[in-house]
Amino acid sequence: MSHTPRSLRSRAVLTCGLLVAPLMAGVSGCAGSPDPLSAKPYDAADQISFSGDGDGRKADPDKPLEVTAKGDDSRITDVTATDAAGRYVRGELAHDGKHWRSTVPLAAGAHYTLKVSTEDSNGAPGRRTVDFTTSSARRLLKVTFGPKAGEYGVGQPITAKLSRPVKDPSARAVIERALKVDSRPAVEGVWHWVDSRNLHYRPQEYWPAHATITAHSNLKGIRIGGGLYGGDAKSLRLTTGDRLEALTDSGTHQMTVKRNGVPIRTIPITTGMPGFDTRNGIKVVLAKESAVRMTGASIGLGAGSYDLMVYWAARVTKSGEYVHAAPWSTGSQGYANVSHGCTGMSTANAEWFFNTVRLGDIVQVVHSNGDDMAPFSNGYGDWNMAWADWRKGSAVSGGQSDDTTADSARLRPQV
């Protein structure tokens, strides 16, 4: 018959009921009946079993870890389970002390240490310590952070590309909570699901100037759902430079370049003519090409319309919008819009701009008759989305976004 710890301790007290001042009398009452709670724990291997025991197989991470007391004359008093990093696995012990069960998922391919304390019918303590490993995941989800490590402008989003599509909202939440982005100085930011395989991270405003930003994943070994587990991910570290912003005004035909809020140069420009109007909105420098070939055929014009080598070109959209040298249109720069969508300027100004900006710097176009810059399908248009809408694209902060289809129009350089 099993007893509660209280009844067991009461029995131990009764066996010493006739002892009167043993130290003063110089006799050792209760000889041969020591307090069982003070005894050295015995090996409780025969009194308990756990779900990963017995046949040499690794524990299944898809199932909870369970510890059970054998027979009627023993009970479990305490269970601790920790991974190789010392992190505890939460669990629940039944009221009768007969069963303990983990309440959080185990990681796949991970090593754990299980420590179980027991008590027999006489109140004597037992202990068993077991090391075990969970089986490796069959389907792994790997994460690749972007961009490459280095120094960028304050408009550069952090990206995470998944090796497999994930659409289930609960699985997305598991992933998102495990992808960490930290910055010094600290700013609040949120992941946004661009589609089922791509996430972007940005703060509410631009990154601070001269910040250090790190991204890493805690997803390795974590059960995501549907038999999918987190895999390896290489961490990312990047820094920002000065806050550099180029405001392109298609109405006044001027570009104002600011460094840390202070104007440093005003440049006469020309932007897209009617029918080829430059996109409005905030863009981010994607690449710098000292020379790029641009042809009319690439944007649907006749093969003989133009075929030029263009110099000092800073790319701002995937579809081929650049800020570049346009010596053939210097007479219109500052007065009229005559390009096929790019922002043109003199060779000297273009070389200065090319050497001044870095990837991730901001180029904002206003007062154009063109379409608005898309948030995701044509480069980094992330900053054109209001913060409240951005947060709705998070699986943790307020919902998910639908998959975004690519902009198929004008996918080659414009001039």
Side-chain angles (χ1 to χ4, degrees):
M1 177 178 181
S2 62
H3 299 274
T4 64
R6 181 175 179 181
S7 65
L8 291 169
R9 288 193 292 270
S10 298
R11 183 194 305 168
V13 172
L14 289 174
T15 61
C16 299
L18 299 178
L19 178 62
V20 179
L23 295 178
M24 295 178 62
V27 296
S28 56
C30 292
S33 301
D35 183 354
L37 299 179
S38 66
K40 182 180 180 180
Y42 58 85
D43 184 0
D46 294 335
Q47 290 185 322
I48 65 166
S49 63
F50 80 101
S51 55
D53 198 8
D55 55 8
R57 292 183 301 175
K58 295 182 178 181
D60 186 350
D62 281 329
K63 298 179 181 179
L65 177 63
E66 298 184 86
V67 182
T68 304
K70 299 178 180 178
D72 296 330
D73 59 351
S74 63
R75 64 190 297 273
I76 300 167
T77 58
D78 186 57
V79 176
T80 60
T82 55
D83 64 12
R87 294 172 293 201
Y88 286 88
V89 177
R90 295 193 301 272
E92 294 179 343
L93 179 62
H95 293 300
D96 62 1
K98 289 296 184 181
H99 185 259
W100 180 92
R101 177 188 179 100
S102 62
T103 56
V104 294
L106 299 179
H111 180 269
Y112 288 91
T113 299
L114 177 69
K115 295 181 180 180
V116 184
S117 297
T118 66
E119 187 177 74
D120 67 11
S121 59
N122 294 318
R127 176 70 61 85
R128 187 186 183 196
T129 299
V130 179
D131 291 311
F132 69 94
T133 303
T134 55
S135 59
S136 298
R138 297 177 185 174
R139 298 174 59 232
L140 291 178
L141 180 79
K142 296 183 179 181
V143 180
T144 303
F145 291 112
K148 296 180 180 179
E151 185 175 76
Y152 290 84
V154 299
Q156 178 64 52
I158 304 299
T159 65
K161 186 174 183 63
L162 309 181
S163 60
R164 299 173 182 268
V166 176
K167 296 183 179 181
D168 179 70
S170 60
R172 286 188 173 192
V174 172
I175 294 169
E176 194 174 323
R177 289 190 178 98
L179 302 183
K180 304 296 184 181
V181 179
D182 302 303
S183 68
R184 296 194 311 269
V187 290
E188 178 192 2
V190 173
W191 286 106
H192 183 103
W193 287 80
V194 176
D195 54 42
S196 60
R197 294 183 62 170
N198 293 280
L199 298 85
H200 285 197
Y201 185 100
R202 51 155 275 208
Q204 183 172 2
E205 304 295 337
Y206 302 139
W207 295 104
H210 306 291
T212 299
I213 305 161
T214 58
H216 67 278
S217 171
N218 293 331
L219 201 58
K220 184 176 180 179
I222 298 299
R223 183 173 64 183
I224 298 170
L228 190 63
Y229 288 82
D232 292 325
K234 183 179 180 180
S235 60
L236 170 70
R237 181 182 183 273
L238 56 85
T239 59
T240 59
D242 288 336
R243 176 168 172 155
L244 199 76
E245 302 166 85
L247 180 64
T248 302
D249 191 327
S250 291
T252 63
H253 316 291
Q254 302 288 325
M255 171 188 282
T256 302
V257 181
K258 296 181 180 180
R259 177 180 283 124
N260 299 323
V262 179
I264 58 173
R265 193 158 182 148
T266 300
I267 301 173
I269 57 167
T270 182
T271 59
M273 69 179 77
F276 296 92
D277 302 275
T278 305
R279 294 172 183 81
N280 283 296
I282 301 170
K283 304 157 191 176
V284 171
V285 177
L286 303 176
K288 294 167 63 176
E289 303 170 44
S290 57
V292 59
R293 182 183 178 187
M294 298 186 182
T295 67
S298 67
I299 58 171
L301 297 178
S305 56
Y306 65 83
D307 188 342
L308 300 169
M309 288 301 299
V310 176
Y311 298 95
W312 309 118
R315 188 171 192 145
V316 293
T317 72
K318 291 181 179 179
S319 61
E321 185 181 318
Y322 288 82
V323 177
H324 64 74
W328 55 86
S329 65
T330 53
S332 299
Q333 293 164 16
Y335 302 99
N337 294 324
V338 298
S339 82
H340 292 94
C342 290
T343 297
M345 58 186 64
S346 71
T347 299
N349 281 328
E351 183 177 2
W352 175 87
F353 185 82
F354 184 93
N355 291 327
T356 300
V357 299
R358 62 175 58 85
L359 305 191
D361 280 335
I362 299 298
V363 176
Q364 183 175 6
V365 177
V366 297
H367 302 140
S368 170
N369 293 322
D371 296 333
D372 292 333
M373 176 68 176
F376 304 116
S377 63
N378 198 17
Y380 294 127
D382 304 50
W383 305 100
N384 296 291
M385 184 177 290
W387 183 240
D389 293 330
W390 183 270
R391 290 175 61 88
K392 291 178 182 178
S394 163
V396 175
S397 300
Q400 286 90 35
S401 62
D402 294 326
D403 284 9
T404 303
T405 56
D407 180 2
S408 59
R410 291 191 291 176
L411 297 179
R412 297 296 300 277
Q414 302 151 222
V415 64

